[in-house]
């Protein structure tokens, strides 16, 4: 197979991959702030949670699921505008600037030079929040016009529909895509869509969430991994089916 050369002499197969990024935990880390916003609503409902408790209760779930969980725990209905309250508190905790995850700015510059606009973000977050977080992190320019929210199609990870919709809108096939994820639900969604997966694990000791995902511990390694992703084995239909049927939050 012939090769192309991108930024900093990075070489990859002649078939250029299409990179699909998750947002939180991959490009930026706002999970603590999001959990803090939900915990604030919990306090209004009479529920006080420590950090470990709220992380276990909220991380990786849709906001409505979290509100329903707190209602079950307290026997109290959330405030009518609970989502708006949680999001406002989250933005207050974040402030005006978000630091991208270490190495992300470098990785995106390298990938933009090699892939051009063959990158997008597909997230369970609402579109407005995606735009705000990426803008505050100073990396929105890499994804202008290529942000895909689960809210727009009513399908959230681990459902693979979000990734399949993003690929369709960008005019690429699942086989061209490599998804950069960190969560079990994201890995399941990507494998269920028949897409190759690179799983970011800040702790090198962590293994893949599911067979078929390739782990990496540092974002500075990402450009070469993405460019070489067409050399990865295609996602086996059995793995795709298992991820689609067996994904858990």
């Amino acid at each position: 197979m012939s090769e192309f050369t991108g930024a900093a002499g990075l070489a990859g197969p002649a078939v250029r991959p299409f990179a699909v990024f998750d947002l939180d935990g991959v490009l930026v880390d706002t999970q603590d702030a999001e959990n803090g916003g939900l915990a604030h609503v919990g306090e209004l409902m009479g529920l006080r949670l420590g950090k470990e408790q709220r992380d276990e209760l909220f991380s990786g779930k849709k906001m409505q699921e979290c509100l329903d969980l707190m209602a079950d725990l307290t026997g109290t209905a959330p405030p009518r505008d609970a989502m708006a309250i949680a999001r406002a508190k989250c933005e207050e905790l974040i402030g005006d600037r978000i630091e991208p995850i270490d190495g992300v700015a470098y990785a995106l510059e390298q990938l933009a030079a090699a892939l051009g606009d063959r990158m997008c973000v597909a997230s369970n977050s609402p579109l407005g929040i995606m735009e705000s977080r990426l803008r505050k992190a100073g990396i929105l320019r890499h994804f202008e016009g290529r942000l895909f929210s689960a809210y727009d199609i009513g399908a959230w990870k681990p459902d693979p529909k979000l990734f399949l919709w993003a690929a369709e809108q960008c005019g690429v096939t699942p086989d061209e895509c490599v998804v950069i994820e960190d969560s079990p639900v994201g890995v399941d969604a990507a494998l269920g869509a028949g897409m190759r997966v690179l799983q970011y694990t800040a702790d090198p000791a962590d293994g893949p969430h599911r067979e078929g995902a390739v782990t990496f511990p540092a974002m500075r390694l990402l450009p070469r991994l993405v460019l070489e992703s067409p050399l990865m084995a295609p996602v086996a239909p059995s793995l795709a089916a298992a991820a689609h049927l067996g994904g858990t939050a």
Side-chain angles (χ1 to χ4, degrees):
M1 181 180 289
S2 60
E3 295 185 340
F4 69 88
T5 302
L10 291 173
V15 177
R16 293 192 304 162
F18 187 92
V20 183
F21 286 85
D22 179 38
L23 178 62
D24 193 64
V26 170
L27 295 173
V28 298
D29 188 358
T30 58
Q31 189 68 65
D32 280 349
E34 291 181 357
N35 291 353
L38 285 162
H40 175 64
V41 173
E43 290 177 1
L44 299 178
M45 299 167 64
L47 180 66
R48 293 189 178 276
L49 299 168
K51 185 180 184 307
E52 288 187 6
Q53 291 174 306
R54 70 191 193 193
D55 288 351
E56 181 178 353
L57 195 63
F58 302 143
S59 295
K61 297 184 179 72
K62 293 185 289 185
M63 186 176 290
Q64 187 60 57
E65 288 181 69
C66 298
L67 296 174
D68 292 343
L69 283 170
M70 290 192 290
D72 290 342
L73 288 171
T74 61
T76 302
R80 183 172 301 178
D81 52 352
M83 286 193 180
I85 292 172
R87 285 172 179 153
K89 184 64 175 180
C90 177
E91 293 305 312
E92 176 188 327
L93 292 170
I94 289 173
D96 295 330
R97 170 71 184 170
I98 301 173
E99 287 298 322
I101 284 178
D102 186 46
V104 159
Y106 164 83
L108 291 178
E109 291 292 345
Q110 296 292 302
L111 287 171
L115 301 179
D117 62 359
R118 290 179 64 84
M119 300 190 293
C120 75
V121 180
S123 170
N124 276 354
S125 298
L127 183 60
I129 288 178
M130 294 172 66
E131 291 176 338
S132 174
R133 303 276 164 82
L134 292 168
R135 184 177 295 109
K136 288 181 179 181
I139 55 177
L140 178 60
R141 67 186 184 279
H142 295 297
F143 305 105
E144 292 279 10
R146 299 182 306 283
L147 303 180
F148 301 95
S149 167
Y151 284 81
D152 290 338
I153 58 168
W156 286 263
K157 305 171 193 175
D159 191 325
K161 289 178 184 175
L162 175 60
F163 287 138
L164 292 170
W165 174 60
E168 180 183 11
Q169 293 297 304
C170 293
V172 296
T173 64
D175 191 55
E176 293 176 75
C177 296
V178 58
V179 178
I180 300 91
E181 267 287 357
D182 70 309
S183 69
V185 293
V187 169
D188 278 337
L191 291 174
M195 298 176 180
R196 296 170 174 87
V197 188
L198 297 172
Q199 178 190 320
Y200 174 58
T201 56
D203 184 347
D206 290 343
H209 294 312
R210 187 175 288 278
E211 181 184 354
V214 174
T215 61
F216 68 103
M219 283 294 171
R220 293 185 70 86
L221 302 174
L222 184 61
R224 186 170 296 281
L225 290 171
V226 168
L227 296 182
E228 293 178 350
S229 63
L231 300 176
M232 293 167 57
V235 176
S238 59
L239 287 178
H244 188 23
L245 295 174
T248 57

